[in-house]
Every structure is written in structure tokens, then in C-alpha cells.
Amino acid sequence: MENLDRIAAMNRQHWERMVREGCGFTLPSLDLDRVLIRRYAEGSLDHPPEPLIWMYPASILDGVEGKDVLCLASGGGQQSAVFGLQGARVTVVDLAEGQLQGDRVAAEHYGYPVTTIQADMRDLSCLSDESFDLVYQAPSVCYVPDLRPVFAEVTRVLRPGGVYRVCFTNPATEFVGMESWDGHGYRISLPYAQKEETSGGSAQFRHYLADIFNGLLAAGLSIEQVADDPQYFTEHRPPPDPGTWHHYLLYCGGFAVVSRKRPAGQA
């Protein structure tokens, strides 16, 4: 982790601070139910609890027992715990050591092995070629300015036929924050052409649809599925208070793309 560039150094510091402050995305999931995970993976669970609702589409969790799974820039002990409880061989790569500690806590709590590596998602030289069946990435690509290095590294470490699941914020609402609620809606205040926003101690980037889909194809991946964030459609009774996280998600969410590494020689 030497010679971090400005962006990586800023974002690592940001997430280490989030760990110290107990941000929800840094807390390991220690009350997961194996039966509920299995039902969700099979598509028979109508109202999945957190963190399962974040792990969409549910089909990505099916059939992972005995598979090599990389949770990329997805530390914290949430997603890795779901895969570990299903018998996957899990490796977690994250920029923040504090996040990786959450993965180790979850693994010790449930009793499965996990490999944790502190690294930048743009440089996975610590990992061998064609060593994973599935790369799962939480909404973390917003912290890099260019998707191409990430997609190239993912393709390299995936086995032929391996699957990459990654999610994105809708680029139209990338920089819309909870604090922008004005009593009627969440305001879009920055032009679509603005790609970078530095606030709250982190640097985040808007990725346009062309960059996402053309980038995946150019990296040698075939797109198999696009899934909207299910929290766009979550019914709340009573409705959440305006300006809260769950209220914000009713207006501003994202989507996931599931792609597969094409075998050598296949167009």
C-alpha cells in the first residue's frame, strides 16, 4: 500500500474514519441466518432483511458453495459473511484496514476462513490470474475516476466463464445528497458534466452509462443482467422521515450489472 495517489489516500483516510465513527457500512453482520440466506438465493424470500437486500440480484448468491469468491472493495464483514456462510472460499480486498478487520471479526464469529488483503481496487497484482469464480463488488467504483483499470483487473483474476457483479449509483443522481431535501424533493444542483465531487473528506466520481457498459464489453466481459436497486421499490409503513437514508433511497438509488468473462477466443 505504498505510493498511494491523492484519490486513494483521501478515500482510505475517509473510510478509516468511518470505521472509527461506526458508520453502518463498516459494521460486520453478526446476526445472519443461513436458512434465510438460502431462501433468498433461491428466490423464495419476499422481504429480505439487511444486508441481503443490498446483495441483488439474489441469483448471484446461488450455487457459491465451494467457489472462490472475491469481495472487491467490499470490506466491513457484511457481504463476505453471506458468502462465507454458504461455504464459499472468500477473499476480501479493501483499501481500509479497519474495514478488513470487520471481515475477520465476522469470519471468527461464524467459524469460516477468510483471506483479507489491503489493496487498491485498481491494482490487484497481489492476486493471481484466473483465480476466482465470482467477483462481487459493492457500490465502491464511485471512488475511482476511471473504471477501465478496475474492469481490466477483474477480468484478469476471473476464470473463463467467471461472473462479475458490480453496482453503480444512477449517474443522474450521483452527487445528490440527503442534505439536499428541500421539503418537496432532493435537488440536483451540479451539472451532469461534472465528474468529480470532493466533500466530506472523500473524492467521488460520476460514471456515465457509456463508460460503464462499453467499459465492461471492452474488458472482455459479456453483460448478462441489469438489475435495479430493489430499495427504489421498498414500501415503508410508516413512511420514513424526509432527509433520512431510507427516504433518500426511495428517490435516489442505483443498479447492478452482472457480466461474465468470455472464454479465450470467443467474441
Side-chain angles (χ1 to χ4, degrees), residues 26-81:
T26 71
L27 302 176
S29 298
L30 304 180
D31 58 354
L32 293 171
D33 185 314
R34 284 182 173 89
V35 175
L36 288 183
I37 294 173
R38 171 48 46 201
R39 287 180 57 198
Y40 180 61
E42 293 172 346
S44 61
L45 188 63
D46 293 332
H47 301 289
E50 293 190 20
L52 295 182
I53 195 170
W54 297 100
M55 301 183 71
Y56 65 93
S59 57
I60 203 69
L61 303 176
D62 196 27
V64 298
E65 183 176 359
K67 299 291 183 65
D68 293 300
V69 174
L70 170 62
C71 291
L72 179 59
S74 302
Q78 299 173 6
Q79 293 87 10
S80 64

Side-chain angles (χ1 to χ4, degrees), residues 62-115:
D62 196 27
V64 298
E65 183 176 359
K67 299 291 183 65
D68 293 300
V69 174
L70 170 62
C71 291
L72 179 59
S74 302
Q78 299 173 6
Q79 293 87 10
S80 64
V82 173
F83 287 114
L85 284 170
Q86 293 185 94
R89 294 185 292 270
V90 184
T91 298
V92 185
V93 169
D94 200 278
L95 194 60
E97 171 58 28
Q99 284 283 74
L100 295 172
Q101 177 59 22
D103 294 283
R104 293 190 286 268
V105 167
E108 182 177 0
H109 175 75
Y110 292 113
Y112 59 80
V114 68
T115 300

Side-chain angles (χ1 to χ4, degrees), residues 6-267:
R6 173 188 67 87
I7 293 162
M10 178 183 297
N11 287 329
R12 180 175 68 173
Q13 184 177 24
H14 168 76
W15 279 102
E16 297 291 13
R17 185 176 70 254
M18 291 295 99
V19 171
R20 292 193 298 272
E21 294 177 358
C23 166
F25 293 114
T26 71
L27 302 176
S29 298
L30 304 180
D31 58 354
L32 293 171
D33 185 314
R34 284 182 173 89
V35 175
L36 288 183
I37 294 173
R38 171 48 46 201
R39 287 180 57 198
Y40 180 61
E42 293 172 346
S44 61
L45 188 63
D46 293 332
H47 301 289
E50 293 190 20
L52 295 182
I53 195 170
W54 297 100
M55 301 183 71
Y56 65 93
S59 57
I60 203 69
L61 303 176
D62 196 27
V64 298
E65 183 176 359
K67 299 291 183 65
D68 293 300
V69 174
L70 170 62
C71 291
L72 179 59
S74 302
Q78 299 173 6
Q79 293 87 10
S80 64
V82 173
F83 287 114
L85 284 170
Q86 293 185 94
R89 294 185 292 270
V90 184
T91 298
V92 185
V93 169
D94 200 278
L95 194 60
E97 171 58 28
Q99 284 283 74
L100 295 172
Q101 177 59 22
D103 294 283
R104 293 190 286 268
V105 167
E108 182 177 0
H109 175 75
Y110 292 113
Y112 59 80
V114 68
T115 300
T116 58
I117 302 172
Q118 189 178 16
D120 190 320
M121 71 180 91
R122 297 170 291 179
D123 179 8
L124 302 180
S125 55
C126 52
L127 302 174
S128 302
D129 294 355
E130 300 185 357
S131 50
F132 292 96
D133 302 294
L134 169 65
V135 176
Y136 179 96
Q137 186 160 13
S140 52
V141 288
C142 64
Y143 294 104
V144 297
D146 187 350
L147 295 171
R148 290 173 295 180
V150 180
F151 291 169
E153 284 291 79
V154 167
T155 304
R156 181 183 65 79
V157 302
L158 271 176
R159 297 180 176 123
V163 171
Y164 177 37
R165 181 274 189 195
V166 56
C167 61
F168 306 87
T169 303
N170 186 319
T173 58
E174 177 64 50
F175 300 138
V176 176
M178 289 188 295
E179 71 284 351
S180 69
W181 176 257
D182 64 2
H184 299 283
Y186 292 91
R187 288 187 175 273
I188 297 175
S189 58
L190 298 176
Y192 194 63
Q194 181 171 332
K195 188 175 177 65
E196 179 178 354
E197 171 70 358
T198 301
S199 63
S202 69
Q204 297 189 46
F205 300 87
R206 189 195 312 268
H207 296 299
Y208 304 110
L209 296 176
D211 297 330
I212 293 169
F213 291 101
N214 293 335
L216 290 167
L217 294 171
L221 299 162
S222 60
I223 296 168
E224 296 203 335
Q225 186 177 2
V226 178
D228 288 304
D229 187 334
Q231 291 174 106
Y232 270 136
F233 315 105
T234 300
E235 294 183 3
H236 290 273
R237 295 188 179 90
D241 293 331
T244 62
W245 178 244
H246 286 290
H247 187 269
Y248 167 82
L249 289 175
L250 297 178
Y251 291 77
C252 304
F255 61 95
V257 181
V258 179
S259 57
R260 188 177 298 274
K261 181 175 178 177
R262 294 192 292 265
Q266 180 176 319

